[in-house]
Amino acid sequence: MPRKAFIADLQKAVGGVVIAGISDVQSGNDDGEFTFRVKSATNGGTLELSALIPDVSEYPSSHTCMFFAPDNAPNKVAQALSNLSDSAPGKNIIQLLELVAKSLESTDHDGDTQMFDSGDDFQSNDEDEDDEDDDYSADEYFPDDDVVPQPIFGKTETSDIQPHAQPTSLFRNRIRMDLIAVKANGLKVGHLGSLLDGLGCYVSISCRISKLGISEEAMQAWQIEPSEYLILIIHYPGGYKSIDSLKSYDAQTARRHIGMRIGISSSYKPTMQEAVRAFTTLSKDEEKRRDDSQGESQDVSNRGFRNSFISRPLNELLNERLITLIEYRYMGMPWSGAEEYYNDHYGTNIENSDLMNDKYMEVENVSTSFPGLVTADHIRETATEQLHSFPLIAMQFVLRHFVRCTEFCLVCFCKMQDDLEAIKPYVCDKPLCLYQYMSLGFGPSIEHEIIAQPKVVDLLISFCYASARQGGLKDFPTGLSLMVPPSSAFENEQPNQPQTANYPYNFNQPTVTPPSPATNTITGGVEPGKMRFNYSKLEMIFDDPNQKVPFRTGDWVVIRTSDNPIKSLHCRVVETTFFPTIKVSEPIVPSSAILPPSLPSIPGQPKPPALPVPSTFTPATFYIYNQNFDDLHEFYKRQAIYSLLETLPSVADMKQYLTRKAQSGLNTWVDRLSPAALGVLRWIIASNRACIIQVDDCRDSDLKAKKGEERLYGMNGWMQFRFAMGAPDKERRFINSVRSTTDRLKLKYPTLFAWHGSPLQNWHSIIREGLHFNFTAHGRAYGHGVYHSLDVHTSLGYTGMGYTSTSSWPQSELKVNSAMALNEIVNAPKEFVSSTPHLVVAQLDWIQTRYLFVKGAQSDFKLNEVDVKPLQIHEQDPTMTPKGQTDKVVIPITAVSCSRRPQSLSVKTGSKRVKASGKNIYDPIVLDGEDDDSASVCTLDEDVAILVEEEVPRDPLPESQMSSGKGKGKATSFFSKLVGSSQPKDSKPSKPLTDFIPGSLEHSNLPMLEPPVWATPSATKRLQQDFKALLKVQSSEPLHELGWYIDPELVTNMYQWIVELHSFEPHLPLAKDMKSKGIKSIVMELRFGKDYPMSPPFVRVIRPRFLGFQQGGGGHVTAGGALCMELLTNNGWSAVSSIESVLLQVRLAMSSLDPKPARLENGPPRDYYVNEAVEAYIRACNTHGWTVPTGFREMAYGGASNQGPAYPY
C-alpha cells in the first residue's frame, strides 16, 4: 500500500544510496518529508535540501513532490528545484533523488556523475510489495468513516497533469489586474512561489479581523483577535488561472487546477511551510490535535497560520461548490439564489431545471449593520466578466460565510430559520446534517473546552440534565444513531417516574408522564437477558454454552444482579473468546444510584464505607446498548439522556485524564465512557450557541486588581459568567437601537440593567435560541414580552428557588439550583409593554445579555468572601439601578464593549480609526479604516512588486529617495497609493519626486459651469461628502504617490470638478510625450448628474489631446476625449464606488500598454470640446453594448440647450 511503500523506500534511502552527489538522506519532521545533502558541480558546494510529498496515499503513482532549498541557495538551484515538480509523479524516492542529482549536475567526491537506471532495480521491490497488499489494510491509517477533504494539488493522475501556463506579458498583466482589484477593495495580497513565471504557486488574500465588524463577544466565542488576519490561500499547482479559464472547467476539473484553504494568522500571509502544511492531508484526529496545539502553544501576537473554528466546513464549501456557484451567478442569480438553486437541484440535470424561477433571482436582504467590505459583490459591481478577479470573488464569498456563519448550516450551508439567532454557528434540523457535523469533526473540540473552561462545561451539562429530568428538553441529538440501553433497563431505578420540576411556584409547568402502551408502540422496552455475574472477577457466565454469543467485543451492557436489582452496572465487553465466559470492564455505577436522593454528598464529610464485593457468581440480568435513540418516544429520549449523563465522570476527572494523556481524546477512554454517553456530551457542547466565559474568582493579591475589574459587585455568593447571545451583528443592532432612542428621547443614561429569572429547565434552550417570549412559563399578566425586574429577589422567585435532588447533575461540582441573567436594556421604560411592577420588553433588539449568575446547593467559601468594588465602573441611571443581594449592584466598565467606554470618544484611538457618528460614544466596535493599513502588518516588498507593471531599466534614484524594506521589489507612483508605500508617511524626501506644481494650472479658459437648476439635495449632500473625503486623502498623501490633484479654488460648483493627473511612470510613452511638450499634467473634468451616486459621473479629458484609436493611440481615451470604460456606464457603475477609486482606475487605464499605449497628439496643444466628448462616449457605449445613463446629455451639457458642434462647455 502507498504509505507502507513510502516508508520502505525511505528506509532504504536512509540506509545508504549510491547516487553521485547525494548523501545523508534523513526522515523529516512532517509526514511525507525527507531531507538530504547534494553536492553541486557548479561551485562544488554542498546544500541541505528537503522534499515533501503532501499526500502519501498517492505514492508512488500520482503523488506531488515539492523541493525546498535554503535561503542562501543560488537562484539557479532554486529555479531548478521549482521545475522538478512536474516530473515527480510516478517516481519513487530513489528516482526523485536521481532526478535532483541530474537537474543540479551533482558529482561525487571524485567528480563522477551518476548514470541513471534505477527504474529496473526497483521493479522487483514493487512486485514484492504488491504481494503483501492482501494482508495490509489501508484502514489502519485511513478509516472509512474519516471523510477528510483531500488536497487539491495532488489528486491528478499522471495523464491528467496540465502543462504550466506560458508567462507571456498578457498573462502577467492579467495577474496584476486581478490582484490590483483585490487591493483596491481593501484587502491585502501576498504570494508564494513563481506566480509570474506560470509555475505552481500560492496566492493569499487577507483581511484584518477588526475590519469585519464582528462584535467583541463573537470574537471571544470564535477564539480570534481583532489584530489577526483572516486568510484565504489559493493554490495553483499548474500556474495561475483567471476566472475565464476556471469558468470553462466543471467542478471536478477545477479541483485539479485550484485549491483553497481558510485560516487565521497574526501575519497577512502564511510562510511557505505553513501553506504546504495547510494542503497536507491529515486524519480527523491528527488535524484536531494539530489545531489544538497551534492554538494553545503560541502567543496571540506570534501565531502562525492555523485553522479557524470554521475552516473545515468552509474549505469543503469552497472546493466543492464555489466554481459551480459562480457559474450560476453569471446566469443572473445573487449569491443567495445561487446557493438555494444548488441545494434544490443537487444531482439533477441543469437542462431540466427551472433556472429563471423568481425565487432564485430575488435580491438578498442583508443586514445593513455589516461593513461594506462584507457585503461587497465584485460580480454585481463589475459587469464585464473579463474584468472579474477570481481571488476577489473567492475572498468576498469567504467573508460572506465567515462573518455571517451563524446564518448558514455548517454542513448543507442552507440558510437557517430567520428567527434563530446565535453567536456560534451550528447545523440545521436535518438529521443527516447533525450526523455529518459530529462525525466529520466540524464541531468544537470538547477536549479543548473541558481543559480550558471546565466550569462552563459543568454548567452546560447541568442545564441539559435539569431540562431532561424536568421534562423541558425538546431538541434531541437526532440523526447520530446513538445506541442506548432500552428504556426497560431503567425501570427498576425510575418505575414510571414522571418528568417534572418540583418548584414551589410552578404555575404552568405540566407534568410529563410516560406514554401509555396503547398510544405508543416504540418504548424501547425489551426483555432482559439472563446470566450470572461475578463482581470480583468482572466475568459473566452463561449456563448454555451452545447458545449464540449475544455480544461483540466493545459492546456496552447494563447489568443488574438479583441481590441488588435497583443498582445498575454499566460495563464494556472486553473479551468474548472464552464464551460462555465473558470478560467486562470495571462497572460504572450511575451517580444517582450511589447515594439515596435524600442524602446528597457533602464536601469535607467522609463517604459511606464501600460495601463488600461478592466473589461468587450471582444471578443477574443484562440489557445491551442496542436501542437506536432516534426511534424512541420523546419521554424515553429524555430518560436516556439524563441516564447516560449520570454515567459520565465528573468534569474534573475528564480534565485530569486529558491532561495526563495530552495526545489522546476522550474517545480513547474506552472503558469509562460509552460511545452513547460521549455522543450526548459532544452534542451538548457543540450545540451551545452562546458565549459563556467564567469570570474567575481570583482573590490572590497579584491578580486581585485585574480580576476585580471583571466581577460585578453586589452578588456575593453567586458564581458569575460573562454571557453573550444572538447573531454576530446582534451587538450592532443593539447599539443602533441605543443610539436612535438616545437621540430621539435625549437620554442622559442610554441604557439600564435588569434581572431576568427563569426555571433551571429553560436555560438549556435559552442558550441555544436566545431570549424570546414564544413560550409562557409563569403567565403574562402584564403583556407579551421578556420580563425583567430591578430587584434580584423578584427574579429569583421565577428561577425555581429551592434545590431538588433531581434538578442537578449528580457529578456536578457546581450543583446548580438556580440561574439568572443580568441584561442591558435600552432605557426607555415608557415604551416598554409594561414598566411596573415588572419591566416587560417586546423589542428584542433592545435587550443584550451581559452576565449569567449561578447559585449552587453547596456553598463555595471563596464566593462568600467580601466583594471588592471595581475601580472603573459603568455609570448607571440612579432611578433605574438594579438591586443585588443587599444593595444596588456596581457594574464594571468591562461589562460594555470597548467602543462604548468613555475613552472611545475620540475619533482616533492609537493607530485605529473609530467609525463613529460623532454624536455620542455608543458606536459599533472599533474598525480599521477601509484603506488604512497603519495598524496592519507591513506588506513585504516582494508582494508590492507583484502589482507593479514591468519596467524598462532606468537610472537609479538617489539613495535619499529610495524606500527601504524587506524583499527585492519596489512600488512607485500611483501604485504606491494602491498597494501602500513602504516609506513612513511622516518622512520627507530631500528632493521633490515629481515635477508637478500644484496650483499652476491655467484656468482662465476652462469650461466652468454654473450650478445646475436640477440639482437635488441628496446628490449635493453626497457630492459634498465625497469631495471632502477626497481633499482629506489629498492632504495626507505625497503628491508623487497620489498621482492626481484637485485645486479646491477651481471647484465652485459641486456638480463639476477639475482634476489633474500627473507623475506618470517615466518609462511610459505618455510620460515621455508629456516631458517633450513641457506638459506637467492631464487636465480632466468630472460632471455629475442629479441621480448621483446611482448614476456614474461623466469623465473626460480637457487637455492635451490624445492620439485616437484609429491613429494608433490607446489609454482608453476616445477621439473626443471621453473615457472608454465600462466602469463609467450604467453596466459597470456601482453606487458604492468612490471617486478616489475612479481616479485610480482612470489613471491605471491611461497607463496601460495593452493593446496600445496612450500617446499625445502631434502639433500645438488643443482642448477637447464637450460636445465631441459626449458623442464619442455615446458611440463607445453603442459599440460595446453598454447602457447610456438616463439624462446623460442634460448632465453632460450642464443643463444648457442648443449646443452647436463647437460648443466648448
Side-chain angles (χ1 to χ4, degrees), residues 868-888:
V868 178
K869 289 185 179 181
L871 297 178
Q872 292 182 301
I873 64 174
H874 174 75
E875 189 176 1
Q876 302 182 71
D877 186 343
T879 63
M880 300 295 287
T881 302
K883 183 180 179 181
Q885 292 283 83
T886 57
D887 200 356
K888 293 183 177 181

PDB file of all heavy atoms in Angstrom, residues 868-888:
ATOM      1  N   VAL A 868     -15.278  43.016  46.285  1.00  0.00           N
ATOM      2  CA  VAL A 868     -14.429  44.182  46.046  1.00  0.00           C
ATOM      3  C   VAL A 868     -15.020  44.978  44.894  1.00  0.00           C
ATOM      4  O   VAL A 868     -15.294  44.426  43.827  1.00  0.00           O
ATOM      5  CB  VAL A 868     -12.981  43.751  45.709  1.00  0.00           C
ATOM      6  CG1 VAL A 868     -12.117  44.980  45.425  1.00  0.00           C
ATOM      7  CG2 VAL A 868     -12.390  42.922  46.842  1.00  0.00           C
ATOM      8  N   LYS A 869     -15.223  46.270  45.112  1.00  0.00           N
ATOM      9  CA  LYS A 869     -15.773  47.106  44.063  1.00  0.00           C
ATOM     10  C   LYS A 869     -14.737  47.325  42.960  1.00  0.00           C
ATOM     11  O   LYS A 869     -13.554  47.529  43.245  1.00  0.00           O
ATOM     12  CB  LYS A 869     -16.208  48.461  44.617  1.00  0.00           C
ATOM     13  CG  LYS A 869     -17.442  48.404  45.483  1.00  0.00           C
ATOM     14  CD  LYS A 869     -17.892  49.810  45.891  1.00  0.00           C
ATOM     15  CE  LYS A 869     -19.154  49.739  46.736  1.00  0.00           C
ATOM     16  NZ  LYS A 869     -19.628  51.107  47.123  1.00  0.00           N
ATOM     17  N   PRO A 870     -15.157  47.289  41.705  1.00  0.00           N
ATOM     18  CA  PRO A 870     -14.213  47.562  40.605  1.00  0.00           C
ATOM     19  C   PRO A 870     -13.796  49.022  40.634  1.00  0.00           C
ATOM     20  O   PRO A 870     -14.535  49.911  41.079  1.00  0.00           O
ATOM     21  CB  PRO A 870     -15.021  47.234  39.350  1.00  0.00           C
ATOM     22  CG  PRO A 870     -16.448  47.368  39.761  1.00  0.00           C
ATOM     23  CD  PRO A 870     -16.512  46.968  41.199  1.00  0.00           C
ATOM     24  N   LEU A 871     -12.585  49.287  40.151  1.00  0.00           N
ATOM     25  CA  LEU A 871     -12.072  50.655  40.137  1.00  0.00           C
ATOM     26  C   LEU A 871     -12.770  51.503  39.091  1.00  0.00           C
ATOM     27  O   LEU A 871     -13.089  52.664  39.316  1.00  0.00           O
ATOM     28  CB  LEU A 871     -10.555  50.629  39.889  1.00  0.00           C
ATOM     29  CG  LEU A 871      -9.718  49.927  40.955  1.00  0.00           C
ATOM     30  CD1 LEU A 871      -8.247  49.930  40.548  1.00  0.00           C
ATOM     31  CD2 LEU A 871      -9.900  50.604  42.309  1.00  0.00           C
ATOM     32  N   GLN A 872     -12.990  50.922  37.906  1.00  0.00           N
ATOM     33  CA  GLN A 872     -13.687  51.632  36.836  1.00  0.00           C
ATOM     34  C   GLN A 872     -15.081  51.051  36.710  1.00  0.00           C
ATOM     35  O   GLN A 872     -15.248  49.847  36.495  1.00  0.00           O
ATOM     36  CB  GLN A 872     -12.937  51.496  35.512  1.00  0.00           C
ATOM     37  CG  GLN A 872     -11.606  52.219  35.480  1.00  0.00           C
ATOM     38  CD  GLN A 872     -10.935  52.091  34.126  1.00  0.00           C
ATOM     39  OE1 GLN A 872     -10.651  51.004  33.658  1.00  0.00           O
ATOM     40  NE2 GLN A 872     -10.702  53.221  33.483  1.00  0.00           N
ATOM     41  N   ILE A 873     -16.079  51.908  36.824  1.00  0.00           N
ATOM     42  CA  ILE A 873     -17.457  51.420  36.839  1.00  0.00           C
ATOM     43  C   ILE A 873     -18.255  52.035  35.695  1.00  0.00           C
ATOM     44  O   ILE A 873     -17.903  53.092  35.157  1.00  0.00           O
ATOM     45  CB  ILE A 873     -18.142  51.726  38.186  1.00  0.00           C
ATOM     46  CG1 ILE A 873     -18.262  53.241  38.386  1.00  0.00           C
ATOM     47  CG2 ILE A 873     -17.400  51.073  39.331  1.00  0.00           C
ATOM     48  CD1 ILE A 873     -19.067  53.617  39.621  1.00  0.00           C
ATOM     49  N   HIS A 874     -19.316  51.349  35.342  1.00  0.00           N
ATOM     50  CA  HIS A 874     -20.245  51.850  34.329  1.00  0.00           C
ATOM     51  C   HIS A 874     -21.281  52.718  35.026  1.00  0.00           C
ATOM     52  O   HIS A 874     -21.957  52.281  35.963  1.00  0.00           O
ATOM     53  CB  HIS A 874     -20.918  50.676  33.612  1.00  0.00           C
ATOM     54  CG  HIS A 874     -21.996  51.081  32.657  1.00  0.00           C
ATOM     55  ND1 HIS A 874     -21.729  51.643  31.427  1.00  0.00           N
ATOM     56  CD2 HIS A 874     -23.349  51.009  32.750  1.00  0.00           C
ATOM     57  CE1 HIS A 874     -22.855  51.893  30.804  1.00  0.00           C
ATOM     58  NE2 HIS A 874     -23.854  51.517  31.581  1.00  0.00           N
ATOM     59  N   GLU A 875     -21.404  53.948  34.584  1.00  0.00           N
ATOM     60  CA  GLU A 875     -22.323  54.882  35.212  1.00  0.00           C
ATOM     61  C   GLU A 875     -23.761  54.509  34.868  1.00  0.00           C
ATOM     62  O   GLU A 875     -24.123  54.361  33.699  1.00  0.00           O
ATOM     63  CB  GLU A 875     -22.019  56.308  34.758  1.00  0.00           C
ATOM     64  CG  GLU A 875     -22.784  57.366  35.533  1.00  0.00           C
ATOM     65  CD  GLU A 875     -22.395  58.775  35.142  1.00  0.00           C
ATOM     66  OE1 GLU A 875     -21.540  58.916  34.238  1.00  0.00           O
ATOM     67  OE2 GLU A 875     -22.939  59.733  35.722  1.00  0.00           O
ATOM     68  N   GLN A 876     -24.612  54.366  35.905  1.00  0.00           N
ATOM     69  CA  GLN A 876     -25.991  53.938  35.713  1.00  0.00           C
ATOM     70  C   GLN A 876     -26.974  55.039  36.063  1.00  0.00           C
ATOM     71  O   GLN A 876     -26.650  55.989  36.782  1.00  0.00           O
ATOM     72  CB  GLN A 876     -26.291  52.706  36.578  1.00  0.00           C
ATOM     73  CG  GLN A 876     -25.389  51.516  36.324  1.00  0.00           C
ATOM     74  CD  GLN A 876     -25.791  50.338  37.174  1.00  0.00           C
ATOM     75  OE1 GLN A 876     -26.823  49.717  36.957  1.00  0.00           O
ATOM     76  NE2 GLN A 876     -24.973  50.004  38.167  1.00  0.00           N
ATOM     77  N   ASP A 877     -28.197  54.869  35.567  1.00  0.00           N
ATOM     78  CA  ASP A 877     -29.292  55.772  35.903  1.00  0.00           C
ATOM     79  C   ASP A 877     -29.638  55.557  37.371  1.00  0.00           C
ATOM     80  O   ASP A 877     -30.022  54.450  37.770  1.00  0.00           O
ATOM     81  CB  ASP A 877     -30.500  55.451  35.010  1.00  0.00           C
ATOM     82  CG  ASP A 877     -31.633  56.450  35.203  1.00  0.00           C
ATOM     83  OD1 ASP A 877     -31.626  57.181  36.215  1.00  0.00           O
ATOM     84  OD2 ASP A 877     -32.533  56.492  34.341  1.00  0.00           O
ATOM     85  N   PRO A 878     -29.502  56.582  38.226  1.00  0.00           N
ATOM     86  CA  PRO A 878     -29.752  56.389  39.667  1.00  0.00           C
ATOM     87  C   PRO A 878     -31.159  55.891  39.962  1.00  0.00           C
ATOM     88  O   PRO A 878     -31.365  55.169  40.944  1.00  0.00           O
ATOM     89  CB  PRO A 878     -29.518  57.795  40.250  1.00  0.00           C
ATOM     90  CG  PRO A 878     -28.664  58.498  39.243  1.00  0.00           C
ATOM     91  CD  PRO A 878     -29.067  57.952  37.905  1.00  0.00           C
ATOM     92  N   THR A 879     -32.129  56.229  39.119  1.00  0.00           N
ATOM     93  CA  THR A 879     -33.515  55.813  39.374  1.00  0.00           C
ATOM     94  C   THR A 879     -33.824  54.433  38.825  1.00  0.00           C
ATOM     95  O   THR A 879     -34.892  53.888  39.092  1.00  0.00           O
ATOM     96  CB  THR A 879     -34.481  56.827  38.741  1.00  0.00           C
ATOM     97  OG1 THR A 879     -34.299  56.826  37.315  1.00  0.00           O
ATOM     98  CG2 THR A 879     -34.219  58.221  39.272  1.00  0.00           C
ATOM     99  N   MET A 880     -32.897  53.862  38.034  1.00  0.00           N
ATOM    100  CA  MET A 880     -33.153  52.562  37.416  1.00  0.00           C
ATOM    101  C   MET A 880     -31.962  51.628  37.625  1.00  0.00           C
ATOM    102  O   MET A 880     -31.586  50.871  36.740  1.00  0.00           O
ATOM    103  CB  MET A 880     -33.418  52.732  35.906  1.00  0.00           C
ATOM    104  CG  MET A 880     -34.595  53.609  35.560  1.00  0.00           C
ATOM    105  SD  MET A 880     -36.180  52.922  36.099  1.00  0.00           S
ATOM    106  CE  MET A 880     -36.385  51.609  34.914  1.00  0.00           C
ATOM    107  N   THR A 881     -31.359  51.666  38.806  1.00  0.00           N
ATOM    108  CA  THR A 881     -30.215  50.815  39.107  1.00  0.00           C
ATOM    109  C   THR A 881     -30.700  49.515  39.738  1.00  0.00           C
ATOM    110  O   THR A 881     -31.484  49.549  40.705  1.00  0.00           O
ATOM    111  CB  THR A 881     -29.245  51.518  40.074  1.00  0.00           C
ATOM    112  OG1 THR A 881     -28.819  52.752  39.493  1.00  0.00           O
ATOM    113  CG2 THR A 881     -28.034  50.646  40.341  1.00  0.00           C
ATOM    114  N   PRO A 882     -30.295  48.371  39.234  1.00  0.00           N
ATOM    115  CA  PRO A 882     -30.777  47.100  39.793  1.00  0.00           C
ATOM    116  C   PRO A 882     -30.231  46.860  41.196  1.00  0.00           C
ATOM    117  O   PRO A 882     -29.122  47.267  41.541  1.00  0.00           O
ATOM    118  CB  PRO A 882     -30.235  46.061  38.797  1.00  0.00           C
ATOM    119  CG  PRO A 882     -29.059  46.714  38.167  1.00  0.00           C
ATOM    120  CD  PRO A 882     -29.379  48.176  38.100  1.00  0.00           C
ATOM    121  N   LYS A 883     -31.023  46.150  42.003  1.00  0.00           N
ATOM    122  CA  LYS A 883     -30.648  45.833  43.373  1.00  0.00           C
ATOM    123  C   LYS A 883     -30.128  44.412  43.441  1.00  0.00           C
ATOM    124  O   LYS A 883     -30.690  43.503  42.842  1.00  0.00           O
ATOM    125  CB  LYS A 883     -31.853  45.994  44.294  1.00  0.00           C
ATOM    126  CG  LYS A 883     -31.531  45.754  45.762  1.00  0.00           C
ATOM    127  CD  LYS A 883     -32.758  45.935  46.639  1.00  0.00           C
ATOM    128  CE  LYS A 883     -32.418  45.661  48.106  1.00  0.00           C
ATOM    129  NZ  LYS A 883     -33.602  45.807  48.987  1.00  0.00           N
ATOM    130  N   GLY A 884     -29.022  44.213  44.185  1.00  0.00           N
ATOM    131  CA  GLY A 884     -28.439  42.897  44.353  1.00  0.00           C
ATOM    132  C   GLY A 884     -28.893  42.238  45.634  1.00  0.00           C
ATOM    133  O   GLY A 884     -30.022  42.440  46.092  1.00  0.00           O
ATOM    134  N   GLN A 885     -27.984  41.465  46.245  1.00  0.00           N
ATOM    135  CA  GLN A 885     -28.339  40.720  47.449  1.00  0.00           C
ATOM    136  C   GLN A 885     -28.731  41.644  48.593  1.00  0.00           C
ATOM    137  O   GLN A 885     -29.711  41.409  49.283  1.00  0.00           O
ATOM    138  CB  GLN A 885     -27.150  39.854  47.879  1.00  0.00           C
ATOM    139  CG  GLN A 885     -26.836  38.715  46.919  1.00  0.00           C
ATOM    140  CD  GLN A 885     -27.799  37.559  47.065  1.00  0.00           C
ATOM    141  OE1 GLN A 885     -28.889  37.582  46.489  1.00  0.00           O
ATOM    142  NE2 GLN A 885     -27.413  36.552  47.827  1.00  0.00           N
ATOM    143  N   THR A 886     -27.958  42.693  48.803  1.00  0.00           N
ATOM    144  CA  THR A 886     -28.229  43.595  49.923  1.00  0.00           C
ATOM    145  C   THR A 886     -28.327  45.055  49.502  1.00  0.00           C
ATOM    146  O   THR A 886     -28.946  45.852  50.197  1.00  0.00           O
ATOM    147  CB  THR A 886     -27.122  43.471  50.990  1.00  0.00           C
ATOM    148  OG1 THR A 886     -25.852  43.753  50.377  1.00  0.00           O
ATOM    149  CG2 THR A 886     -27.099  42.055  51.562  1.00  0.00           C
ATOM    150  N   ASP A 887     -27.707  45.409  48.386  1.00  0.00           N
ATOM    151  CA  ASP A 887     -27.672  46.813  47.976  1.00  0.00           C
ATOM    152  C   ASP A 887     -27.646  46.876  46.461  1.00  0.00           C
ATOM    153  O   ASP A 887     -27.632  45.858  45.774  1.00  0.00           O
ATOM    154  CB  ASP A 887     -26.446  47.493  48.577  1.00  0.00           C
ATOM    155  CG  ASP A 887     -26.585  49.012  48.620  1.00  0.00           C
ATOM    156  OD1 ASP A 887     -27.612  49.521  48.107  1.00  0.00           O
ATOM    157  OD2 ASP A 887     -25.680  49.685  49.148  1.00  0.00           O
ATOM    158  N   LYS A 888     -27.600  48.088  45.914  1.00  0.00           N
ATOM    159  CA  LYS A 888     -27.535  48.255  44.468  1.00  0.00           C
ATOM    160  C   LYS A 888     -26.220  47.724  43.921  1.00  0.00           C
ATOM    161  O   LYS A 888     -25.163  47.883  44.548  1.00  0.00           O
ATOM    162  CB  LYS A 888     -27.703  49.732  44.095  1.00  0.00           C
ATOM    163  CG  LYS A 888     -29.096  50.279  44.400  1.00  0.00           C
ATOM    164  CD  LYS A 888     -29.251  51.726  43.955  1.00  0.00           C
ATOM    165  CE  LYS A 888     -30.670  52.216  44.209  1.00  0.00           C
ATOM    166  NZ  LYS A 888     -30.852  53.626  43.760  1.00  0.00           N
TER     167      LYS A 888
END
